[in-house]
Amino acid sequence: MNLSELRAQIDKIDNQLLRLLSERADLVHNIGAIKKEAGAEIYAPEREQQLLDSLFARNEGRLTPESIRAIYREIMSASLALEKQIRIAYLGPEGTWTHQAAREKFGASVQYLPQPDIGDVFDNVARRHADYGVVPVENSTEGAVNHTLDMFMESDLQICAQIMLRIENHLLSRGPREQIAKVYSHPQVFGQCREWLRRELPGVELIEVSSTTRAAEHATREENSAALAGRMAAEVYNLSILQRSVQDDPDNATRFLVIGHQSCPRTGNDRTSLMFGLRDEPGALFLALRPFGELKINLTKIENRPSRRKAWEYFFFVDVEGHHEDEPLMAVVSELKKHCSIVKMLGSYPKAESTRP
C-alpha cells in the first residue's frame, strides 16, 4: 500500500472507533441513570481496575500497557463526565504533583478544584463541595505526610482508591544554569534531591516554599532563580527544563489517596488502611499486632502519630493486604477492639501499579 491508501485505512478505522465510542457513551449514560436512581456512587474504582486488568490481559497488539492505560483513562474520564460533572479537590495550586496524580486517576474531563491545604481538601469533600479529594500520604524517600495522617483522626471520610506515581523532579528556570543563584522547592523535594544539589549546585541558596508550583512561580518572576518541580509545572509556567530527573533515587515514588464518602467493594486484590489507639498498659502494642501474624495477614505499613488528645498518647496507622469484609481481617479488627482505646477503619481499595509522570 502507498501512503494515501494507508491513511484512507486509518480514516476508516477512526470512523469505526468514533461510532463505537458513541455507542459506549450511550451505555454509560444508561448506567449513570440506574446509579442515580439507586443512590449509588458514580465513580467505581473497583470496576475501573477490573477493566484495565482485563484489557492488559487481552492485549495482543503493539500498544504497551502504559499506552492502553492512558487511552482508557481519558475514555473513562469522559464517561464520568457524562454521568455527572465530577469535582475533584486536590492539594494545589495547579501543576503540583498532587494535581498530576489526580489527572492520572481521573483524566481531563472532570472539574478540578485546587486547595491551599490538605485540611481544605478534606473539608471540601466532607461538605460535598467536591465529590472526591486527592492527597499525598507518603513518599518512598522522605516517608509519611503527617498532615494527611492527622486529618484521618478527625475525619469520617473513607479511602476509596490510591495512586502510585513515580516522581521525577526537574531543574526548571528561565535562564541558563550557570547563572542560578537560588533554587525554590518544597522541603520534601529538597530531601529527595539532597545529594544532587550538593554535588551539582554547591553554594546555591535553597529556599523552601509550600509547593513545587509556588517554586515554579518564583522561578518565573525572579532573575537567576530556578525551581525543582515536575513536568506539569514546567508546562504551566513556561519554564525550560535545564536538567531532567535530578532526584537521588531513580525509583522515587509518592503514594496518593483518593478520599470520598464510601469505601470500595472487594476486588480480590485489595489493600485496607485502619488506625487504632492503644490503652496505657504493658504489652499493648504487642497484643494489638499479634492477631495479624496469627491470622497470616500481611501488614505492609505502620506509622504512629501523637493523638493530640493526651500527652504521650499515640495512634497507629496500619496498611494490610486484603479487604475489610474478608473474614480474617474482620477477626483481626475484633481482636484489636479488645486491646485498643479506638479502632477506626479508613477504607479498602484496589492496589495500584506505579505510573510514570
Side-chain angles (χ1 to χ4, degrees):
M1 284 189 188
N2 59 34
L3 185 61
S4 296
E5 291 172 331
L6 289 170
R7 285 174 172 168
Q9 288 291 322
I10 289 175
D11 290 342
K12 182 179 178 180
I13 292 171
D14 283 339
N15 288 334
Q16 294 172 344
L17 286 173
L18 187 59
R19 176 179 56 79
L20 291 172
L21 287 171
S22 295
E23 290 180 13
R24 189 184 194 279
D26 290 338
L27 294 172
V28 167
H29 177 76
N30 294 337
I31 289 172
I34 293 171
K35 285 182 177 180
K36 287 178 183 177
E37 186 175 342
E41 290 284 320
I42 295 296
Y43 175 56
E46 74 285 359
R47 165 62 179 159
E48 175 185 282
Q49 195 59 48
Q50 288 166 356
L51 172 61
L52 289 173
D53 290 342
S54 174
L55 290 168
F56 297 157
R58 288 182 285 139
N59 177 35
E60 296 180 353
R62 295 176 181 272
L63 292 177
T64 65
E66 284 185 354
S67 297
I68 292 171
R69 182 189 297 275
I71 292 166
Y72 271 84
R73 164 59 46 236
E74 294 309 323
I75 291 174
M76 291 186 287
S77 179
S79 298
L80 279 174
L82 286 173
E83 296 181 60
K84 178 188 175 183
Q85 181 55 65
I86 299 291
R87 297 160 300 177
I88 310 298
Y90 69 92
L91 178 62
E94 183 182 7
T96 60
W97 282 114
T98 309
H99 186 197
Q100 192 158 327
R103 284 286 297 266
E104 288 283 341
K105 174 58 71 174
F106 291 99
S109 297
V110 303
Q111 181 182 1
Y112 289 100
L113 307 175
Q115 303 300 317
D117 186 86
I118 288 173
D120 293 308
V121 177
F122 275 80
D123 186 63
N124 271 265
V125 179
R127 296 177 185 274
R128 299 188 184 271
H129 298 158
D131 298 284
Y132 300 97
V134 178
V135 291
V137 69
E138 65 174 321
N139 175 263
S140 59
T141 302
E142 293 299 296
V145 179
N146 291 329
H147 193 178
T148 296
L149 297 181
D150 291 344
M151 289 304 304
F152 280 114
M153 296 183 196
E154 308 297 334
S155 175
D156 292 327
L157 295 177
Q158 293 277 294
I159 304 168
C160 56
Q162 69 172 1
I163 310 153
M164 297 289 290
L165 188 69
R166 288 188 60 188
I167 303 296
E168 290 188 351
N169 293 303
H170 308 310
L171 182 68
L172 314 179
S173 183
R174 293 171 57 196
R177 177 170 166 175
E178 57 271 17
Q179 293 181 9
I180 293 173
K182 51 190 172 184
V183 176
Y184 291 90
S185 199
H186 187 275
Q188 276 217 341
V189 174
F190 280 137
Q192 296 164 19
C193 306
R194 186 177 296 112
E195 288 303 313
W196 185 89
L197 288 165
R198 180 188 60 79
R199 184 177 65 252
E200 300 293 335
L201 295 177
V204 170
E205 183 181 6
L206 306 181
I207 304 173
E208 296 182 356
V209 290
S210 60
S211 70
T212 52
T213 301
R214 296 285 183 230
E217 288 176 351
H218 282 286
T220 300
R221 294 195 306 261
E222 299 180 22
E223 296 291 332
N224 303 326
S225 65
L228 291 179
R231 171 181 49 80
M232 185 179 285
E235 294 171 359
V236 170
Y237 292 95
N238 196 29
L239 292 167
S240 299
I241 299 178
L242 302 185
Q243 182 71 44
R244 294 182 178 275
S245 195
V246 302
Q247 67 279 353
D248 299 327
D249 183 356
D251 296 321
N252 184 29
T254 294
R255 177 178 168 223
F256 300 84
L257 300 177
V258 179
I259 54 173
H261 291 274
Q262 295 183 20
S263 188
C264 183
R266 185 192 286 116
T267 69
N269 187 26
D270 302 298
R271 172 181 281 186
T272 294
S273 297
L274 57 96
M275 58 172 284
F276 57 84
L278 297 178
R279 295 193 178 100
D280 187 12
E281 57 187 32
L285 182 57
F286 169 77
L287 292 171
L289 296 179
R290 184 170 64 181
F292 291 98
E294 291 177 343
L295 292 167
K296 294 182 170 54
I297 292 178
N298 187 19
L299 193 155
T300 59
K301 177 181 175 61
I302 183 168
E303 294 277 350
N304 69 305
R305 293 290 297 150
S307 72
R308 298 190 293 182
R309 301 187 309 181
K310 181 181 177 182
W312 310 114
E313 180 182 60
Y314 289 87
F315 284 150
F316 290 82
F317 293 83
V318 171
D319 290 342
V320 299
E321 292 185 352
H323 193 276
H324 72 269
E325 293 178 349
D326 296 343
E327 288 188 10
L329 191 49
M330 291 173 66
V332 164
V333 171
S334 179
E335 286 296 312
L336 277 174
K337 290 179 179 178
K338 298 177 182 178
H339 307 289
C340 298
S341 58
I342 182 174
V343 179
K344 185 177 181 181
M345 193 65 63
L346 303 181
S348 297
Y349 43 93
K351 291 181 181 177
E353 297 179 3
S354 295
T355 58
R356 296 193 63 84

